Amino acid sequence: MSKKPKKKGGRIARIFKWALGLFFLAALGIAAYWYFLTIDNHDIYEFVPEDAVFVVEADDPIENWKALSKTKVWRHMKKNDLFADIEEDCNYLDTLIRDNKQIFKLVSNKKLLVVGQMTKADDYDFVYLMDLKEGGKISNFMGIFKGVLNAFGLDMHSKKIAGHDGYGIGEGRNEVLLTFVGNILVSSYSNKLITKALHQYKKPFYSNNEDFLKARKWAYKSENSESLAKVYFNFDQLDEYMAVFMDEVTGTVTSLSENLNYSAFDLKMHDDYAEMTGLTTVDMNLPSLPNVLSTMPKGEIRCTSVLPSNTSFFMSIDFADFDQFYDQISSTMHEDEGFKDYEKYKDQAGGFLGVSKSKKKQDRKSRRGKDINFFDWIGQEIALALVPINESGTKQGYVAIFHAPDKENSIHDLKTIEKKIKHRTPVKFKQYEYRGHEISYLQMKGFFKLFLGKMFKKFDKPKYVILDEYVAFSNDTSALHQVIDVSHGSKPNLPMEPGFRKFYRRFEDNSNYFVYLNGRKLYPFLPSFAGAETASDIRKNKKFITCFPHGGLQLLADDGKFESRLYFEFKTEKDTKWWEK
């Protein structure tokens, strides 16, 4: 369940107030460049604490900000309550840069890092790092600059910070702390965080971390003239960070936190879209689905052909060969809870199904009609989708789609299993036909959980239907009817929606993992999915959800890591011309 993030007295606004002082201070330091003073040079990443949640890296912060602030995405999103307290500061920063071009030109091309970190269980703050290069000599002139800054209304005073000569600008909760270590300016509103940064550089972590450096290098490979910044995520801290925004951290978030290491993205933003491309690294020492998928050959995303055009969400897992995929799951995830549940069920069911767990694989064609296999019918994709089941979209049904290219084999295996376990389950469901397709009930404990974990808790009493090349499961028969309608040709599928086709061209057809979101179709369902307080926040922020009609995340396996692409289209609801195309 989500909760509204706490508003710490304009924390984001403090970033901009800090930036104004920093850029002015840095400009003064670079103006002192002509002084022949020697300073120690450091890699800026030596100061990034090991427990950082995320890092935003800007190579030319002034120009990057000017480009970002002009986009329609930013101009729309800054109207959100979360950003309301910074709009005035944003406008002031724009004016300051415009009216003081020569001063701010001095800090061009000076790398800036904004590092997000936890300060306690339910709060976070930032450390700001800037590589002043030779401008780091400013530390030798701070006594002079104190008077200059005081003249500009900035109350500046000397103080010790973690054993370093430092300074405070302002007072109380609005006091910004700063110090210089060679060429690096280190600053924060939090004494705890600036102390961490100053301790970390003595034992650098990120500047020597091969996994992180590999991801960062990949993000720079995507860089071009449109790039605004690099964004890095440390998944080890993801669950703690998300606890700031959620009453209870979901199993999906915990799983990501445990099984992924780092993501590094190159950020681009235009008037009609935002895009991040880069690399995600996986902890190959832990048994997990990301571990398995990161070594798998890619498979085609097929489920869109049977999902209705009003689908609000789908997640697709793809592989070239299911036998290879399942063998890898068996060897990698044998200690996983879902795998244990399924194996226990399979052993129990094996006796009355006549299936031996140790039975050697046989050619599918020679086996058909003789014995059955739990997975023999699965092809190259497993997907989970949300499909609206009423006109308003406030009710939506979960549907699992399994690629099953051999319909005859699917019918034989699934119907045999269904028949054998029918009298052993307390659930009573009367089979019926819809558009010539039989809808039946089939309970296979652990079967769904094995592939997509706790997300498949939604399939406690699944009904299913066998189509020409797919098998669809759902608790809700209305959702199954929609999938059948699409397969029958009486309802359009996702690729028939012009906006989706345009969006989908941004991604590869072959994939390992793909997630799709339609903000406009998903929005009506979200309030019913959340608690009362969160539902109220969702309704209040409708225009900040529905402005993203199509969004997607794609992961492509690359020998234990994933090439990653995150892309969201931006269109406000007033932009009706776009929907008419």
Side-chain angles (χ1 to χ4, degrees), residues 143 240 259 273 331 496 536:
E240 294 183 37
N259 298 312
Y273 72 87
S331 61
M496 295 177 72
S536 175

Side-chain angles (χ1 to χ4, degrees), residues 330-499:
S330 300
S331 61
T332 303
M333 299 177 61
H334 57 274
E335 294 298 323
D336 179 77
E337 181 183 350
F339 187 81
K340 288 181 177 180
D341 283 351
Y342 175 72
E343 286 291 283
K344 182 179 179 180
Y345 169 78
K346 186 176 178 180
D347 286 343
Q348 292 174 345
F352 61 83
L353 288 174
V355 179
S356 172
K357 180 180 177 182
S358 60
K359 192 178 186 69
K360 292 183 179 180
K361 293 181 183 177
Q362 301 175 32
D363 180 75
R364 292 185 176 187
K365 291 184 179 179
S366 65
R367 291 178 59 262
R368 188 187 299 149
K370 298 178 181 179
D371 53 47
I372 68 103
N373 182 283
F374 287 92
F375 296 131
D376 185 53
W377 50 276
I378 300 177
Q380 296 178 318
E381 179 183 34
I382 300 171
L384 175 68
L386 262 178
V387 176
I389 56 177
N390 63 354
E391 189 172 347
S392 65
T394 55
K395 295 182 180 180
Q396 303 197 17
Y398 289 89
V399 182
I401 305 288
F402 287 76
H403 177 231
D406 190 333
K407 184 176 181 179
E408 184 181 344
N409 195 45
S410 301
I411 293 173
H412 175 267
D413 284 5
L414 291 173
K415 289 299 178 183
T416 302
I417 295 173
E418 176 194 332
K419 183 178 179 181
K420 292 289 186 179
I421 68 174
K422 185 175 183 180
H423 302 296
R424 296 172 180 261
T425 174
V427 178
K428 302 300 179 183
F429 178 78
K430 187 176 181 180
Q431 296 177 345
Y432 70 96
E433 283 195 0
Y434 180 78
R435 293 192 183 276
H437 294 276
E438 185 177 81
I439 296 178
S440 306
Y441 173 81
L442 180 62
Q443 184 181 40
M444 295 175 69
K445 186 177 181 182
F447 175 73
F448 297 108
K449 187 178 179 181
L450 174 62
F451 300 110
L452 293 176
K454 296 180 180 179
M455 293 190 72
F456 271 117
K457 287 192 300 185
K458 304 295 180 182
F459 294 84
D460 55 339
K461 298 176 182 178
K463 291 81 179 176
Y464 79 100
V465 61
I466 300 173
L467 306 172
D468 289 339
E469 293 188 10
Y470 303 91
V471 177
F473 294 84
S474 180
N475 277 0
D476 196 300
T477 54
S478 297
L480 286 181
H481 290 177
Q482 291 206 50
V483 174
I484 295 171
D485 287 342
V486 171
S487 180
H488 187 263
S490 58
K491 188 177 181 69
N493 63 14
L494 258 179
M496 295 177 72
E497 201 276 294

Side-chain angles (χ1 to χ4, degrees), residues 151-162:
F152 275 85
L154 295 171
D155 175 27
M156 184 175 180
H157 44 277
S158 302
K159 64 191 309 178
K160 285 288 185 180
I161 304 174

